Amino acid sequence: MSVSFTRREAWRNRFLILPSVLLLAAFVVYPAGFAVYTSLTNEALSGPAAMNPRFVGFANYAKLLTDQNFWRSLAITFWFVLFSAIIGQLVLGLLSAMLLNRRFALRPLVNAIILMPNAVPEVVAALMWASMLAAGEYGTLNNIVAWFGVDPQRWLTSFPLTMIIIVNIWRGIGFAMILMTSGLSSISDELYEAARMDGANTSQIFRRITLPLLVPTIFLYLLVSTVSTIAIFGLVFALTRGGPAGSTELVGIYIYNQSFNSYQLGYGSAVAVVVLVFSLLVGMLYVRALKVDV
Amino acid sequence: MFKQGLWACCVLTTVLAGSHAWADTVRIAEHRQARIDALQAVIPKIKEATGVDVEIVEYPGPDREYVSKLLTELAAGTGPDIFSLPEISQVVDFSTAGYLQDVTAEVQGSEAYGQFYDIAKQLSTSDDGKIYIMPTMLSVQQLYFRKDVLEKAGISTEQPKTWDELMQRAIDAKAKTGQYSLMLPMGVTWGGGPFIEGFRHLLAGSSNPQIATDDGKLDLTSKGIGEVFGFYEQMVKNKLLPVDPLLGPEPWVIPKYQMFPAGELLITSCGSWCLIFDWGPKSKNPIPDVTKVVGTWAVPGKDGGEHVMVSLSHPWAVGASAANPDAAKKVLQAMGSIDLMVSYAANEGNLPARKDAVDNAEFQKLTALVPIMSYLDKGAYLKTAPGFSTVVEGVARATEALLLGNTDAAGAQKILVDYAKSTLGEDQVK
């Protein structure tokens, strides 16, 4: 292979990725950089600081350290990610994938039911659930539980975090199932046949063959779902707006509230930068420490 | 060559003509269907009076989302030419941000100015003597009650003289009817409602009736604010108001549009718009003979006295980034017309800011509103200071904590103070 051909190939490849690089630079790198800059100012959307923003150094970051609401929103986000993305969606997605790996009469219907939440726009899904979980006699769920003699509940007031976790699990199972199905299909049937011939039972086959060979897929899923769940906004905002009393104020909603309700763009940007760094660390943890090829 | 030159001239002429036409089109931001309908009805007259083309741009309905979108655009220099501010307290925050044009000359030079109620003139003039807004509508807010239900239950419908008397009457009404008896807006999802439609009514009759101090700071640690939260705490403890609907995404819908018309909520705070939009001719669930079965009380003071709250409703402003400020100011002047005010009164239920609007034949048809005009000369109002919008949000958060039973009056006041200090800094809060 000649040197000039190699060079030409290299230039062609650079040219081919140029559109992606430009788009990433315009819509990811530049806004992120601008957020870092804004986080070092007292920029606001209204009031005197909107007209004359000042450079305040790391004052916004110092304020973060003592802001109990910020730490509370981080804690809420942690539990939300843990129970909805890492445990709920993964376990149910895996179970769904294994179920649908078998042939049975209603397989297409079950498949459609699991995938349908992904086809519903986020805000529509949230409004639908708001109607389902409405308090008093107006809520669909209250009408359902009434058949079993249960008194009407304030689902979104008494169990707000649990409810948004359930809604997010409902919405995310489909994606988890697709990834797990692709992972399962990459496992050779010969391995299962050999195991059965050696007398392995279903549980042993799952623990010794399926699970170990699914690990790369699982971690790929965890990487994507963890980062996207940390950044979740629309579904929960449309459902609870972070309430009641901040009990579902995920960090994405906290950033929005600081920036667009309290109008403190500088401080909101500082929170966003911290979350960005945190997401990057989580991603690196998955990719590097667990040595997964992505 | 000649042909090319000719083409270039044509293109240039078209572009210039196009840009000229664009510059002369004034974009007015409006939100909520009732308000859009009101404005739409008078646009032809505004065009005729000014010779300026006017376009209505629809913005998100809820005030909170409307203001967020507006602020984002204004900060980016792409805002509408003319827009309204839902709450008078926002004027100071918008003007100090440099988003508003000084329209002192245009407002004072308009034919409307001489007819404005004094309170409209006072509320539209900033501390620095400048005017940034055209006042077109005023709101009169007080307490509305189901006269028919209370009378049937043997509860007095006389004006309550003190907070204690109001509270006791609500407690008695609940005991006798089994219905929710007193609701002031509470909670975060109502946006500015908890402050605008409840908190400030009580504050004006408390030991410290103002929040803004003479040196432009916010006095949030006053005894008066503690007293108001104490009243809210009692309202919640006595289970006088429906908690669940107030925590929902549209908290006004069930209590105001369903429970009050059904007689399941007996006393609430509201403005004159309730007699038109919420329960009157523009309502989807009107109360028959609304002016007969619904009575009004002025808001009693804590230990005596009474008042109604008067405020500017959605005053109009010209954006600093208006494409053609002169045309926008011309349109703003024309928006001080009686026609516009009567159109908004008919569609939304607020009151014209002009005295001579009372004589307008169309306004006279709004029989529910005409008698309320007499309150405009004697209403109470709160002074504002930079950062006032933060107080509005802080009150929403504090009342939500009370509503959920998470705190008491002192805790609610602490939530308000902490929120304001955290947002505005220690210096702005007294």
Side-chain angles (χ1 to χ4, degrees):
Chain A
M1 200 179 294
S2 73
V3 176
S4 65
F5 176 78
T6 312
R7 262 193 211 148
R8 255 202 333 269
E9 280 289 286
W11 275 108
R12 195 190 66 175
N13 291 342
R14 283 177 197 143
F15 183 73
L16 285 173
I17 63 165
L18 188 62
S20 306
V21 171
L22 287 176
L23 287 172
L24 281 172
F27 296 111
V28 178
V29 179
Y30 173 73
F34 196 75
V36 173
Y37 164 74
T38 308
S39 73
L40 301 174
T41 70
N42 71 340
E43 176 101 41
L45 268 182
S46 76
M51 186 141 71
N52 297 308
R54 283 183 296 109
F55 181 77
V56 295
F58 291 97
N60 286 327
Y61 293 94
K63 183 178 164 186
L64 268 181
L65 296 175
T66 55
D67 183 351
Q68 291 179 351
N69 290 331
F70 166 69
W71 292 108
R72 184 190 62 181
S73 77
L74 270 190
I76 292 168
T77 307
F78 172 78
W79 294 117
F80 180 71
V81 171
L82 179 68
F83 287 113
S84 72
I86 296 178
I87 297 176
Q89 291 175 1
L90 177 65
V91 171
L92 291 175
L94 181 57
L95 286 175
S96 309
M98 291 171 66
L99 176 71
L100 292 168
N101 224 16
R102 300 174 181 183
R103 297 193 179 281
F104 59 96
L106 296 174
R107 196 170 80 148
L109 182 68
V110 175
N111 203 349
I113 288 171
I114 293 171
L115 286 175
M116 215 177 284
N118 283 63
V120 182
E122 204 169 46
V123 175
V124 176
L127 293 177
M128 195 181 76
W129 275 98
S131 168
M132 285 275 291
L133 302 173
E137 62 198 88
Y138 304 98
T140 310
L141 188 56
N142 274 340
N143 280 303
I144 294 171
V145 298
W147 297 338
F148 304 100
V150 178
D151 290 334
Q153 302 291 316
R154 296 184 202 164
W155 301 103
L156 286 171
T157 309
S158 306
F159 324 101
L161 188 56
T162 310
M163 288 302 120
I164 63 168
I165 286 171
I166 289 171
V167 173
N168 196 46
I169 290 172
W170 166 84
R171 192 162 162 77
I173 292 175
F175 176 63
M177 186 195 74
I178 291 169
L179 267 185
M180 295 306 142
T181 303
S182 75
L184 286 174
S185 64
S186 68
I187 301 173
S188 168
D189 286 342
E190 289 169 5
L191 288 172
Y192 290 120
E193 281 171 23
R196 279 190 208 103
M197 287 177 71
D198 288 342
N201 60 29
T202 309
S203 167
Q204 285 170 325
I205 288 173
F206 177 75
R207 284 185 288 111
R208 300 290 172 81
I209 297 176
T210 308
L211 211 50
L213 291 174
L214 265 183
V215 164
T217 309
I218 287 172
F219 280 115
L220 175 62
Y221 168 75
L222 287 178
L223 168 66
V224 175
S225 71
T226 303
V227 173
S228 62
T229 307
I230 288 173
I232 203 164
F233 175 79
L235 187 70
V236 179
F237 186 77
L239 199 56
T240 66
R241 291 177 177 257
S247 56
T248 57
E249 194 173 43
L250 302 175
V251 76
I253 295 175
Y254 185 71
I255 292 168
Y256 175 86
N257 283 337
Q258 289 301 319
S259 303
F260 298 103
N261 279 337
S262 302
Y263 309 134
Q264 304 298 304
L265 283 182
Y267 186 61
S269 298
V271 181
V273 169
V274 169
V275 174
L276 175 68
V277 171
F278 187 70
S279 296
L280 284 173
L281 288 174
V282 170
M284 283 163 64
L285 185 79
Y286 280 132
V287 174
R288 299 274 172 85
L290 301 167
K291 295 179 181 170
V292 178
D293 291 327
V294 182
Chain B
M1 185 68 188
F2 175 73
K3 259 187 178 175
Q4 282 174 332
L6 202 61
W7 272 112
C9 282
C10 288
V11 169
L12 198 63
T13 311
T14 312
V15 167
L16 285 174
S19 64
H20 182 69
W22 173 252
D24 265 358
T25 299
V26 169
R27 294 178 304 131
I28 304 179
E30 187 50 292
H31 67 308
R32 292 204 233 131
Q33 198 54 51
R35 294 184 56 79
I36 291 169
D37 292 344
L39 183 58
Q40 198 86 55
V42 292
I43 286 295
K45 285 186 178 170
I46 292 175
K47 283 182 183 175
E48 193 185 323
T50 59
V52 177
D53 193 22
V54 177
E55 180 194 354
I56 300 176
V57 185
E58 188 173 344
Y59 272 58
D63 283 346
R64 185 188 288 224
E65 276 71 29
Y66 166 72
V67 172
S68 291
K69 182 172 165 60
L70 205 54
L71 281 171
T72 312
E73 291 183 352
L74 290 169
T78 58
D81 300 318
I82 296 178
F83 50 86
S84 64
L85 297 173
E87 169 53 24
I88 182 69
S89 63
Q90 287 156 339
V91 176
V92 65
D93 288 331
F94 274 61
S95 64
T96 51
Y99 297 149
L100 308 183
Q101 298 255 359
D102 178 359
V103 290
T104 311
E106 287 74 16
V107 172
Q108 288 183 342
S110 70
E111 56 91 26
Y113 194 74
Q115 290 294 336
F116 283 146
Y117 283 93
D118 288 341
I119 200 163
K121 289 180 187 172
Q122 286 163 18
L123 288 170
S124 58
T125 307
S126 301
D127 286 346
D128 59 6
K130 290 181 180 172
I131 297 176
Y132 295 98
I133 47 172
M134 169 66 87
T136 54
M137 305 305 291
L138 288 161
S139 70
V140 168
Q141 294 188 41
Q142 53 192 326
L143 296 172
Y144 286 72
F145 61 93
R146 285 299 300 252
K147 195 159 49 177
D148 53 344
V149 182
L150 291 185
E151 280 173 351
K152 197 175 169 188
I155 303 290
S156 167
T157 55
E158 293 295 309
Q159 168 71 42
K161 300 283 189 297
T162 62
W163 290 2
D164 285 344
E165 202 179 318
L166 174 64
M167 182 64 70
Q168 191 55 50
R169 203 170 294 177
I171 291 168
D172 293 344
K174 175 154 193 188
K176 287 196 175 170
T177 64
Q179 307 293 352
Y180 292 112
S181 55
L182 176 61
M183 187 204 74
L184 302 180
M186 296 174 79
V188 172
T189 51
W190 204 313
F195 183 84
I196 296 162
E197 295 182 37
F199 192 87
R200 66 177 176 179
H201 299 32
L202 293 175
L203 188 74
S206 73
S207 301
N208 305 81
Q210 294 289 344
I211 291 175
T213 61
D214 291 338
D215 56 354
K217 291 190 177 182
L218 301 166
D219 183 5
L220 301 177
T221 52
S222 73
K223 187 181 169 196
I225 287 183
E227 290 167 356
V228 176
F229 281 128
F231 187 89
Y232 277 88
E233 186 185 353
Q234 288 303 309
M235 204 164 57
V236 175
K237 272 190 177 166
N238 287 302
K239 298 181 179 170
L240 302 181
L241 75 174
V243 172
D244 293 338
L246 292 178
L247 295 167
E250 291 185 317
W252 52 87
V253 172
I254 292 173
K256 286 278 178 82
Y257 301 162
Q258 295 174 14
M259 297 177 85
F260 194 86
E264 293 167 0
L265 172 64
L266 306 181
I267 308 166
T268 187
S269 59
C270 204
S272 54
W273 65 81
C274 273
L275 295 176
I276 300 290
F277 189 81
D278 290 28
W279 316 314
K282 292 283 178 184
S283 171
K284 287 179 182 163
N285 189 18
I287 300 175
D289 289 326
V290 64
T291 50
K292 286 183 185 161
V293 300
V294 174
T296 58
W297 289 325
V299 182
K302 180 177 177 292
D303 300 314
E306 59 186 64
H307 59 273
V308 297
M309 292 304 295
V310 176
S311 184
L312 287 180
S313 171
H314 293 79
W316 295 97
V318 175
S321 57
N324 185 340
D326 292 337
K329 287 177 180 176
K330 210 171 164 184
V331 170
L332 186 81
Q333 267 194 329
M335 292 174 81
S337 71
I338 293 178
D339 289 333
L340 179 135
M341 294 180 193
V342 173
S343 180
Y344 272 87
N347 279 281
E348 204 192 26
N350 279 315
L351 304 171
R354 292 176 64 143
K355 293 173 190 166
D356 53 353
V358 181
D359 304 325
N360 181 276
E362 290 302 310
F363 185 70
Q364 282 293 328
K365 291 178 189 169
L366 304 171
T367 49
L369 299 185
V370 174
I372 304 176
M373 293 291 278
S374 62
Y375 292 121
L376 291 176
D377 284 323
K378 50 191 177 192
Y381 62 90
L382 295 192
K383 290 189 292 180
T384 59
F388 215 83
S389 310
T390 305
V391 178
V392 175
E393 175 72 15
V395 165
R397 291 172 180 233
T399 53
E400 181 158 293
L402 281 171
L403 192 62
L404 291 165
N406 291 347
T407 191
D408 57 8
Q413 187 164 12
K414 187 174 183 306
I415 289 171
L416 170 63
V417 172
D418 288 349
Y419 178 72
K421 281 186 176 173
S422 140
T423 304
L424 301 170
E426 300 270 343
D427 296 344
Q428 188 55 28
V429 181
K430 182 180 167 188

